[in-house]
Amino acid sequence: MGTTAGIGYSVQRDPAAAGKEAVRKALDQAKTMKPDFLFVFATVGYDQQVLIRSIREVANAPLSGCSGEGIITQGVADETNFGVAVMAIRSDELQFYHARVKDIGRGADVAGERLAQDIKPFLSEKSIACFLFPDGLSFNFDPFLSAFEKSLQRKIALPLFGGLAADNWTAQKTYQYHDDEVFSGGLSLVVLAGNGGVAWGVNHGCVPVGAKRTVTKSKGNVIFEIDGIPALEALKEYSDENLDSQWNKTSLNLCLGFKTPEHIRQPYGDYIIRYMAARNIREGSVMIQSDVVEGSDLWIVRRDKELIASGIQEISRGIRGQIGTRKPKFILHFECVGRGKVVFRDREKLELINSLQKNIGEDIPWIGFYTYGEIGPIEEHNCFHNFTAVVAAVY
C-alpha cells in the first residue's frame, strides 16, 4: 500500500459543517475511510470543541494540531476567522505516535521533561522526526528544548518541526488538539517513525535598520534594558507609533535580530529573529519566546519583501536538493503571521505560496498554518524562529 495522504479544507462558518466537509474531502483524496492519523489546523472563529468533535465523528483516528491565524494548503492561504484544514494519512510504512501536555504554565522545562517521558516508549532507531504544536502565548522554547533533549538522552537529537498556536492577533487564547481534546496553555506533539525521511528548509527574510545594540539587563526571556536604558525607550528610536496604544502595530513592523551562533551561521545567515510577544509598560521591558543572555548583541530588524521572495526559492531548492528524485509523501508548512496579510496583499501572498508549491510539487498533499513562532532545525540543531517559513517534506 505504501502511504497515501489527502487534504481537505473548509471555510464554512458552522463548525460542525466545516469540520465534516474538510475531513471528508481529505478522506476522498487519500482514498480511505480509515486513516491512521489526522493533522488539523483551524482558525479561532469556530467553537473549537464542536469543530474537532465533528471531524472525529467522521474519521475516528488519532488526531493532533492546533489553532492558527490562517490555514495553508495547495493553492490556499486563508487568513480569516473561519478556516479549517485536515490532512488524512494512511500508511503501512510510517507510524504516528502522539502525546500532549496540558499545562505548560508550570514551566517550559517541566513540560519538556514530562513530554519526553511520555514519548520515550515509542522511540526507536526508526524514529524520524517530531512535530510540535505549543500554545503561542505562554511557550518559552529554550528551557523546553533543554529539558526535552536531556530527558530523551539520544546521541543525535530528533529533528523538531512545528509552529506555535495562534489566535488571529487577539492574543487572548490559542488552542491545541489531541484526539477529542481541545485545550489551551499546553502543547501537542507527534512522533513520526518508520521507513522514510524528512527534508526541510528554513528562511526568514529580515534586514537590520540600525546599528548594533547590546542587551544590558535581562532575565529568562524578558529584556529589561538595551544599552542601559529601558527596552521600550530604546525602541522609540525606531518607531513613530505610540508604544502604549499601538503596540501590535509596532511589534509587527519591528522585531529583534540576535547574532546567529557560529555553528549554524553559515547555512542560516547573520541573524536569529525574535518577535516581541509582549511588553510591560511599567517595567519598560519586552518579552520574547526564548531566553536571552545579558551582553548579547542585538539589532532592530524589519522584513524585506525581496528577501522573503528569494528565501522562498532557497527553501524549494534546498528541499529538492535533499530529496533528489524522490517524491514527498506529504508536506507540513509553518509560516509566521508576520509574513502573511500584514505584509502582502492577497495576490502577492498567494503568488509566493504558489511558487513554493510549484517548485516542490503541485500535486503533493500540503498542510500548514500561520503561526506565532516557528520550529525547525538548522542542520542537526533544533531551533526556534520568528518571521520565518519552515517547510518539512516527508518522503
Side-chain angles (χ1 to χ4, degrees):
M1 178 184 71
T3 299
T4 62
I7 297 293
Y9 79 96
S10 178
V11 293
Q12 291 196 55
R13 287 177 172 253
D14 178 81
K20 289 177 180 179
E21 179 184 26
V23 70
R24 283 169 178 159
K25 287 179 178 178
L27 295 172
D28 286 346
Q29 192 178 100
K31 296 180 173 60
T32 182
M33 290 304 295
K34 295 183 178 181
D36 294 306
F37 202 80
L38 300 173
F39 285 103
V40 179
F41 305 119
T43 54
V44 295
Y46 297 117
D47 180 316
Q48 301 284 296
Q49 190 66 69
V50 172
L51 180 73
I52 297 303
R53 184 168 61 244
S54 70
I55 292 170
R56 293 265 292 174
E57 285 174 357
V58 176
N60 187 23
L63 180 154
S64 183
C66 65
S67 63
E69 188 269 342
I71 58 168
I72 299 170
T73 67
Q74 284 281 4
V76 174
D78 188 286
E79 295 178 83
T80 66
N81 272 333
F82 299 95
V84 54
V86 177
M87 175 182 280
I89 304 168
R90 177 80 170 169
S91 180
D92 60 6
E93 56 190 353
L94 296 175
Q95 295 85 49
F96 301 85
Y97 310 99
H98 64 324
R100 54 96 173 97
V101 174
K102 280 191 170 182
D103 179 15
I104 60 178
R106 293 171 52 190
D109 54 344
V110 175
E113 185 174 352
R114 287 169 58 194
L115 193 62
Q117 295 305 315
D118 285 347
I119 69 169
K120 260 187 178 181
F122 307 135
L123 300 184
S124 70
E125 58 185 26
K126 286 196 170 185
S127 299
I128 298 169
C130 293
F131 295 94
L132 180 65
F133 313 117
D135 179 85
L137 303 177
S138 58
F139 186 66
N140 187 352
F141 180 77
D142 288 341
F144 166 84
L145 181 70
S146 177
F148 181 72
E149 292 187 341
K150 182 179 179 180
S151 296
L152 288 182
Q153 296 180 325
R154 294 175 63 91
K155 290 183 179 179
I156 300 176
L158 270 177
L160 271 179
F161 302 92
L164 273 60
D167 66 347
N168 289 23
W169 296 111
T170 62
Q172 297 296 316
K173 182 183 286 188
T174 75
Y175 301 91
Q176 296 78 59
Y177 314 143
H178 177 88
D179 293 342
D180 291 321
E181 296 179 291
V182 175
F183 51 96
S184 301
L187 54 83
S188 183
L189 177 134
V190 180
V191 179
L192 174 68
N195 298 318
V198 60
W200 69 88
V202 179
N203 196 275
H204 63 71
C206 291
V207 295
V209 295
K212 180 179 73 174
R213 310 295 295 262
T214 302
V215 176
T216 49
K217 185 179 180 182
S218 65
K219 183 178 180 180
N221 61 339
V222 179
I223 301 172
F224 293 97
E225 293 183 1
I226 297 173
D227 290 337
I229 63 174
L232 288 178
E233 288 296 319
L235 291 173
K236 290 179 181 179
E237 300 176 26
Y238 302 88
S239 176
D240 295 328
E241 304 294 338
N242 184 310
L243 299 189
D244 294 346
S245 61
Q246 299 293 321
W247 174 250
N248 284 345
K249 187 174 181 180
T250 300
S251 61
L252 277 175
N253 291 325
L254 298 175
C255 42
L256 307 181
F258 294 89
K259 189 176 181 180
T260 305
E262 285 300 320
H263 62 278
I264 60 172
R265 183 171 178 268
Q266 195 280 328
Y268 185 68
D270 292 331
Y271 308 105
I272 294 283
I273 309 303
R274 289 291 178 263
Y275 169 65
M276 294 177 286
R279 90 295 196 199
N280 185 307
I281 296 173
R282 181 179 58 82
E283 295 176 343
S285 64
V286 297
M287 184 185 76
I288 60 176
Q289 293 158 314
S290 61
D291 287 348
V292 58
V293 177
E294 289 181 3
S296 298
D297 293 336
L298 168 71
W299 288 261
I300 308 301
V301 300
R302 62 168 176 80
R303 288 147 299 170
D304 183 274
K305 285 187 175 184
E306 291 184 4
L307 279 180
I308 290 174
S310 63
I312 287 288
Q313 301 308 313
E314 287 183 23
I315 288 174
S316 59
R317 284 194 297 269
I319 289 176
R320 291 202 312 273
Q322 293 169 59
I323 62 178
T325 59
R326 293 169 294 196
K327 181 178 179 179
K329 297 175 174 68
F330 55 87
I331 286 175
L332 284 97
H333 179 177
F334 311 105
E335 186 89 7
C336 179
V337 295
R339 294 163 57 99
K341 65 184 180 182
V342 297
V343 178
F344 297 104
R345 297 184 178 91
D346 282 346
R347 180 182 57 80
E348 293 176 315
K349 181 179 66 177
L350 278 173
E351 285 177 354
L352 284 174
I353 298 294
N354 287 341
S355 69
L356 176 64
Q357 293 173 338
K358 181 178 180 180
N359 288 337
I360 298 177
E362 292 178 289
D363 60 341
I364 299 169
W366 191 299
I367 193 171
F369 70 100
Y370 285 92
T371 82
Y372 280 171
E374 303 76 57
I375 300 166
I378 304 300
E379 295 187 331
E380 72 273 21
H381 304 281
N382 287 316
C383 299
F384 180 79
H385 314 273
N386 286 126
F387 291 84
T388 298
V390 173
V391 179
V394 176
Y395 58 85

